[in-house]
Amino acid sequence: MANQSDQRPDPDVLLAHVQEQERRATRGRLRIYFGASAGVGKTYAMLTAARKLIAEGQPVLIGVIETHGRDETAALLEGLEVLPPRAIAHRDKTLTEFDIDTALQRRPALILMDELAHSNAAGSRHPKRWQDVDELLAAGIDVFTTVNVQHLESLNDVVGGITGIRVAETLPDKVFDEADEVVLVDIPADELLARLKSGRVYKMQQAERAAQNFFRKGNLIALRELALRRTADRIEDDVQAYRIEKSIGAIWKTDAALLACVGPQAESGHLVRSAARLASQMNAEWHAVYVETPHLQRLPSAQRERILKNLKLAQDLGASTAVLTGKDIAQAIVDYAHSHNFSRIVLGRQQQRTWHLQWHRASQLQRIAAYAPDLDLIEVGQATNAVAESASNRDSTASRPTEYASPRVPPRHWRYVFAALASIFTGLVATPLIDMFNLVNIAMLFLLTVVLVSVRFGRGPSVVATVIGIAVFDFFFVPPRFSFAVSDLQYLMTFAVMLVVGLITGHLTADLRYQARVASHRESRARALYEFARDLSGVLLAEQISETTQVIIQRAFRAQATLLLPDEAGRLQAPATAVPGLDIGIAQWAFDKVEAAGIGTDTLPAGNFFYLPLVAPMRTRGLLAIQPESRRWIMIPEQRQQLDTFAALAAIALERVHYIEVAQNALIHMESERLRNSLLAALSHDLRTPLTSLVGISESLAMSKPALADAQLKMAQALRDETLRMSALVTNLLDMARIESGEVRLNLQWQPFEEVVGSALRICAFQLQQHKVETRLARDLPLINFDAVLIERVLCNLLENATKYTPPASLITIAAQVNGERLEVKVADNGPGLPPGREEAVFEKFTRGERESALPGVGLGLAICRAIVSAHGGSMGAGHSPDGGACIVFSLPLGTPPAMPEPERDPDEQKLIAAS
């Protein structure tokens, strides 16, 4: 019986652990104060720990601390050295960010960096603060920092689904997992809400909004559970690392993880489903393993395929799967459980039919219990239909192929004939040597024959060779010769030893032969996989991928292959080199359903082709049609598994080539846009001067003395109007070029939105003469931070568009109201509306409506409006008005307006107020 104390640690694991420790020795240590949400006290706890270290004599530097106006947190900053921030100019504003260069020059022993997931302003060295921290750690500086659970990338969408708010600032889970220490800062939800109401989390106005949105009790309870679970997972990793470091083989029951043992039996599927249900009920992680022994490697392919399906089922149900190798199933399971700290093992109950099977099954359970008395063994009962299923599966296994059957070995009955003839031939060869050699040496010749037969033909023929060899040795060589009688009883011992040695030698040799064949097949598959990956890594065209795939599959699988790629409409196109007989209809079905079809599947298995979709991470990229030389080949599970791997590599290569093409097209488009903007800017500048001159000339003609005739005056006015129109178009072109080049600087001011609406209506008064205008502005609109000139331009463009695309006497409505955290502005009319399906296209450059008035344009007005609104951090869209016309909606962020100063009062007024 194996003893746990005798188990030695895996040297490879220890080496990897030592190398990781050496890597960490040159880096600073990272401590993360982790919480469920803002306000739990992470920054407070971090500053408290820093003050304790300062009291012990360790220097501490404050890199970044966000107090959010909390007096308790700000009080802890008193007397601490704070690193001056770095000023960064951004859109006519001066922002402050962490000065990483100064921090690296000073090289403090410990630096505090609040809000690890923070996004740095444009112009900083790194886009994220966690990247600044990583550079500090690489320089050997210890860092204390804070993180909320919603900022972890893997939980960002989960938190968004709970709270309805998707946080934009995230950090990779790898940063959290590789931290040296994680300190959980946790308080109950009721206590956090009490803090929020008392103004200890946010200022009162902001706290009221937070309580109505993010800081609801249900949200806080769910976030607290996520934080506790994520911390528990992190601590479990620490426990596992400690067990590896200290070479602890005993199971520590700190986790409720399950280990399910999958076998070749028909009821293994029931075991997998039961283990999945049990893991779900326990809310625990679980693994599914299969131990492959030399005996199990000889299973018919139907049973081997069932094993692969059960492992795939376990993986689909959320398990981590593994295939273990070893001669002792129980020992392999116990070793895996020890290395992964599994305290519970789930096994299935097999129906017994004979005393031999019953004894063997009980022995397996007893051995697992004997190897690891500290493990909990959970036995799953049989499903009601397991017996019938097992019988049907046994009946179907005889005709299924196995991968490791050698094609050069003769049929089964001829192998036994050759084995018998080999022993007889050995007797004939040894007969002339009877006078030259002792009988012991002649017996060695028969044992040599047994070894050769077992190497060539396997275990069964080696047994026949052993029995026939003993009979020939007794009849021809043992006195009395030519008789099976034995004169000396010692020869009976010789026969027994020859039989035992022959059987053992044949068994071991057959095992080694089989293992060598298995290793050869695995090496061949690995080499083919390596060559395929190597060839695909250098291709840049889909045609090269198709050619490489066809050549490699034909060489590795002895089959003809065709790679089908879809067109823009998703229809597969057969190449000119397609294998004859390919059914494009079946191929399209397999591509659309993302399911394999043809040979060896449940869909049209009578065909001559195997159709395998190429599924990439983003979408299905094509289909592989294979016509094998033998239909039996595709049914071998190992071959199918390797073919799936080849298909995955081809799909990833196709996706890589696709995105290379997308990137190239995007680069060409960017260069074209840049060239077009440059040309537009140049033309606009060159045209503005002559257009201004034409306006002046036309006005001079209209006012010239003597007065012009009526016809001449109309011509001068028409010249002026057309020149002004051209000037407006050129101004649009120039503004679009300036906006896209980033040259526009916003002059943001807090101001009433009503004023810019009135200004726009005054500017567009001439165009609005034949239309009705109605304003619906909410009475309590707050101050908005925007550029008045540019937003006025947006409103003017929208009003001009409304007059341009609606008949006279139409109603144009301007409405504005607060919607959540944004100001929503609508400009609607009751005209013909937008063309169907072009609600988004109207915002593209040089795009115009289908119905226009006599006033022409170039289709830049709405594009300029959207660019201006986007520069303000807003959004713009188009739709249909309730009155039947078009409706353009844009929104601007509200923000927090500055506090208004109290009006100054004269002394007499103050006395009157005090007296009252």
Side-chain angles (χ1 to χ4, degrees):
M1 182 178 67
N3 194 320
Q4 292 177 4
S5 62
D6 297 334
Q7 294 179 354
R8 295 188 298 174
D10 189 341
D12 294 332
V13 175
L14 287 179
L15 178 60
H17 184 69
V18 170
Q19 291 174 344
E20 178 65 17
Q21 286 184 327
E22 291 177 352
R23 184 186 71 85
R24 287 181 175 271
T26 60
R27 291 173 59 87
R29 293 181 60 81
L30 175 63
R31 177 189 292 182
I32 295 178
Y33 288 85
F34 186 56
S37 67
V40 297
K42 301 181 300 299
T43 306
Y44 188 91
M46 180 174 65
L47 288 172
T48 302
R51 280 193 166 275
K52 183 178 179 181
L53 292 175
I54 292 174
E56 296 173 355
Q58 179 175 340
V60 176
L61 178 64
I62 305 297
V64 178
I65 289 292
E66 302 290 347
T67 64
H68 297 287
R70 301 164 190 160
D71 297 334
E72 297 174 350
T73 306
L76 291 176
L77 282 174
E78 295 180 1
L80 300 182
E81 184 181 4
V82 180
L83 183 70
R86 174 171 172 255
I88 298 177
H90 180 69
R91 292 184 177 178
D92 293 335
K93 283 187 175 182
T94 300
L95 304 178
T96 57
E97 289 290 353
F98 172 65
D99 191 350
I100 186 172
D101 293 321
T102 304
L104 292 173
Q105 291 174 1
R106 295 190 54 176
R107 295 184 64 86
L110 173 64
I111 187 169
L112 272 56
M113 300 286 293
D114 205 3
E115 297 186 357
L116 184 60
H118 170 77
S119 297
N120 295 329
S124 302
R125 179 183 303 179
H126 300 124
K128 294 287 187 178
R129 183 168 292 167
W130 66 264
Q131 295 171 318
D132 295 337
V133 169
D134 187 66
E135 187 170 350
L136 294 173
L137 295 172
I141 302 173
D142 294 344
V143 178
F144 286 1
T145 187
T146 62
V147 172
N148 285 331
V149 68
Q150 65 262 31
H151 295 298
L152 294 180
E153 184 63 46
S154 63
L155 297 177
N156 181 253
D157 56 341
V158 177
V159 176
I162 294 172
T163 64
I165 299 174
R166 192 71 175 266
V167 179
E169 293 182 329
T170 61
L171 73 151
D173 285 51
K174 181 180 179 182
V175 178
F176 181 83
D177 294 332
E178 293 184 352
D180 297 277
E181 296 178 73
V182 173
V183 179
L184 178 65
V185 182
D186 178 55
I187 61 173
D190 290 332
E191 185 177 341
L192 180 56
L193 289 174
R195 284 188 182 184
L196 183 67
K197 292 179 181 178
S198 63
R200 296 166 61 191
V201 178
Y202 297 122
K203 296 298 183 182
M204 294 305 299
Q205 183 178 1
Q206 189 177 1
E208 291 177 0
R209 290 200 302 266
Q212 296 173 0
N213 297 285
F214 189 88
F215 280 79
R216 293 194 294 268
K217 184 174 180 179
N219 292 350
L220 298 180
I221 294 174
L223 294 179
R224 189 184 182 202
E225 180 182 3
L226 287 176
L228 291 171
R229 289 187 180 278
R230 191 62 178 86
T231 306
D233 293 340
R234 175 63 172 75
I235 294 175
E236 177 63 24
D237 294 339
D238 293 340
V239 171
Q240 189 68 6
Y242 179 82
R243 295 177 71 250
I244 294 174
E245 180 182 1
K246 301 300 182 181
S247 302
I248 298 174
I251 298 295
W252 286 4
K253 298 185 179 182
T254 58
D255 194 10
L258 299 176
L259 176 61
C261 302
V262 179
Q265 297 82 9
E267 55 270 16
S268 291
H270 173 64
L271 167 70
V272 168
R273 296 181 181 90
S274 299
R277 288 195 300 269
L278 187 60
S280 177
Q281 294 168 4
M282 300 172 61
N283 197 16
E285 177 188 3
W286 69 293
H287 285 210
V289 298
Y290 164 69
V291 182
E292 189 173 56
T293 64
H295 171 71
L296 294 178
Q297 287 174 343
R298 300 187 184 89
L299 291 174
S301 65
Q303 294 187 12
R304 295 176 63 83
E305 186 173 1
R306 185 192 307 134
I307 294 168
L308 295 177
K309 287 183 177 179
N310 288 332
L311 290 177
K312 180 64 168 60
L313 173 63
Q315 189 172 2
D316 294 340
L317 294 176
S320 299
T321 60
V323 177
L324 312 178
T325 57
K327 294 184 178 180
D328 189 340
I329 296 177
Q331 185 64 58
I333 292 173
V334 170
D335 291 343
Y336 188 86
H338 281 159
S339 62
H340 292 79
N341 198 33
F342 285 105
S343 60
R344 294 176 177 87
I345 298 181
V346 181
L347 303 108
R349 180 184 302 159
Q350 182 180 8
Q351 177 151 359
Q352 309 301 330
R353 296 175 178 81
T354 65
W355 68 269
H356 169 71
L357 290 176
Q358 186 174 1
W359 172 86
H360 178 73
R361 181 64 177 174
S363 174
Q364 197 72 276
L365 288 172
Q366 291 176 357
R367 292 174 66 193
I368 293 178
Y371 286 151
D374 54 343
L375 291 179
D376 298 333
L377 302 182
I378 302 174
E379 189 175 31
V380 177
Q382 269 194 322
T384 55
N385 60 343
V387 177
E389 182 182 355
S390 178
S392 63
N393 283 319
R394 283 198 306 272
D395 295 339
S396 63
T397 57
S399 62
R400 300 296 297 272
T402 59
E403 179 188 13
Y404 306 126
S406 175
R408 297 186 298 273
V409 175
R412 180 175 294 273
H413 61 280
W414 283 109
R415 288 186 290 167
Y416 293 97
V417 173
F418 288 152
L421 292 177
S423 295
I424 295 173
F425 179 74
T426 301
L428 296 176
V429 172
T431 300
L433 305 177
I434 191 172
D435 297 328
M436 302 172 56
F437 295 100
N438 193 296
L439 290 181
V440 175
N441 294 325
I442 292 177
M444 294 299 102
L445 293 177
F446 285 96
L447 291 179
L448 176 62
T449 301
V450 171
V451 172
L452 295 176
V453 168
S454 61
V455 169
R456 177 61 179 169
F457 301 118
R459 182 179 291 102
S462 70
V463 174
V464 173
T466 300
V467 174
I468 298 297
I470 292 174
V472 171
F473 180 72
D474 180 23
F475 189 81
F476 289 100
F477 297 97
V478 176
R481 298 181 61 191
F482 306 109
S483 171
F484 289 106
V486 179
S487 60
D488 192 346
L489 295 179
Q490 294 182 0
Y491 286 111
L492 294 178
M493 178 63 69
T494 302
F495 297 156
V497 171
M498 287 182 64
L499 178 62
V500 172
V501 171
L503 293 177
I504 294 176
T505 303
H507 175 76
L508 295 177
T509 306
D511 275 350
L512 290 175
R513 167 177 172 268
Y514 192 81
Q515 292 292 338
R517 187 177 298 126
V518 170
S520 175
H521 280 280
R522 289 178 176 172
E523 188 274 335
S524 176
R525 290 200 302 268
R527 184 177 64 253
L529 190 62
Y530 164 75
E531 292 176 353
F532 188 51
R534 180 196 60 193
D535 294 343
L536 287 182
S537 63
V539 300
L540 298 175
L541 298 174
E543 292 76 9
Q544 295 175 325
I545 296 176
S546 177
E547 181 181 355
T548 301
T549 302
Q550 293 176 11
V551 171
I552 292 294
I553 288 182
Q554 184 172 2
R555 183 170 67 239
F557 297 97
R558 301 188 301 276
Q560 293 181 303
T562 300
L563 189 62
L564 305 177
L565 301 178
D567 56 13
E568 295 295 333
R571 309 300 300 175
L572 293 177
Q573 303 297 318
T577 58
V579 179
L582 175 66
D583 192 328
I584 194 67
I586 301 176
Q588 187 66 49
W589 181 92
F591 177 80
D592 294 337
K593 299 295 183 181
V594 197
E595 294 182 12
I599 302 175
T601 68
D602 297 331
T603 305
L604 301 174
N608 296 323
F609 283 81
F610 176 66
Y611 302 91
L612 184 62
L614 304 181
V615 183
M618 297 302 296
R619 52 167 291 187
T620 305
R621 293 293 171 184
L623 181 130
L624 190 61
I626 301 173
Q627 185 181 30
E629 294 180 359
S630 172
R631 295 176 58 87
R632 293 164 55 88
W633 166 86
I634 205 67
M635 300 179 184
I636 300 174
E638 287 80 1
Q639 295 280 32
R640 171 64 187 276
Q641 192 175 27
Q642 186 183 18
L643 187 59
D644 289 341
T645 306
F646 272 61
L649 288 175
I652 293 173
L654 287 171
E655 189 156 277
R656 174 175 57 83
V657 169
H658 168 74
Y659 283 113
I660 289 176
E661 183 180 354
V662 169
Q664 290 175 343
N665 292 336
L667 182 61
I668 294 174
H669 180 72
M670 290 170 58
E671 293 296 331
S672 300
E673 286 291 318
R674 187 178 294 110
L675 178 60
R676 183 168 66 175
N677 291 336
S678 300
L679 290 174
L680 291 177
L683 288 173
S684 300
H685 281 293
D686 291 342
L687 289 174
R688 295 184 80 174
T689 300
L691 288 175
T692 304
S693 301
L694 285 175
V695 171
I697 293 173
S698 61
E699 291 178 348
S700 299
L701 287 174
M703 295 183 295
S704 61
K705 300 295 183 178
L708 299 177
D710 291 341
Q712 294 173 334
L713 183 59
K714 290 181 180 180
M715 292 176 62
Q717 291 175 346
L719 175 62
R720 177 183 176 277
D721 293 341
E722 291 299 318
T723 305
L724 288 176
R725 185 185 63 81
M726 282 295 298
S727 179
L729 295 179
V730 169
T731 301
N732 280 343
L733 292 173
L734 182 58
D735 288 346
M736 196 70 229
R738 289 174 58 216
I739 290 173
E740 294 198 344
S741 64
E743 295 179 0
V744 175
R745 304 294 181 185
L746 300 181
N747 181 22
L748 299 177
Q749 300 289 336
W750 291 98
Q751 49 200 319
F753 187 76
E754 297 89 335
E755 292 184 0
V756 75
V757 173
S759 176
L761 290 174
R762 286 192 298 271
I763 293 174
C764 299
F766 178 77
Q767 291 90 336
L768 296 171
Q769 286 179 351
Q770 299 181 0
H771 292 76
K772 300 176 183 178
V773 179
E774 181 179 337
T775 58
R776 300 175 184 174
L777 306 181
R779 294 180 178 274
D780 55 347
L781 290 181
L783 297 179
I784 307 297
N785 193 24
F786 63 92
D787 187 320
V789 175
L790 293 180
I791 296 299
E792 178 186 275
R793 177 71 178 280
V794 170
L795 292 173
C796 288
N797 282 353
L798 296 180
L799 291 172
E800 289 176 2
N801 267 359
T803 60
K804 186 176 181 180
Y805 292 96
T806 57
S810 298
L811 175 64
I812 300 174
T813 304
I814 303 177
Q817 63 180 3
V818 175
N819 187 0
E821 298 294 329
R822 291 180 172 271
L823 174 69
E824 188 177 89
V825 183
K826 297 181 180 179
V827 178
D829 59 61
N830 59 354
L834 296 172
R838 293 180 58 82
E839 290 82 0
E840 186 64 25
V842 294
F843 292 102
E844 297 177 1
K845 289 180 292 186
F846 305 104
T847 300
R848 309 176 66 192
E850 296 178 354
R851 297 183 60 184
E852 299 183 4
S853 66
L855 295 175
V858 294
L860 279 177
L862 289 180
I864 292 175
C865 292
R866 173 173 278 188
I868 293 174
V869 172
S870 298
H872 282 77
S875 61
M876 175 175 281
H880 298 281
S881 170
D883 298 330
C887 180
I888 308 297
V889 182
F890 70 90
S891 63
L892 298 174
L894 291 180
T896 303
M900 300 298 292
E902 292 291 336
E904 295 183 359
R905 304 181 187 273
D906 56 51
D908 295 336
E909 185 179 359
Q910 292 180 359
K911 291 178 181 179
L912 291 174
I913 294 175
S916 62

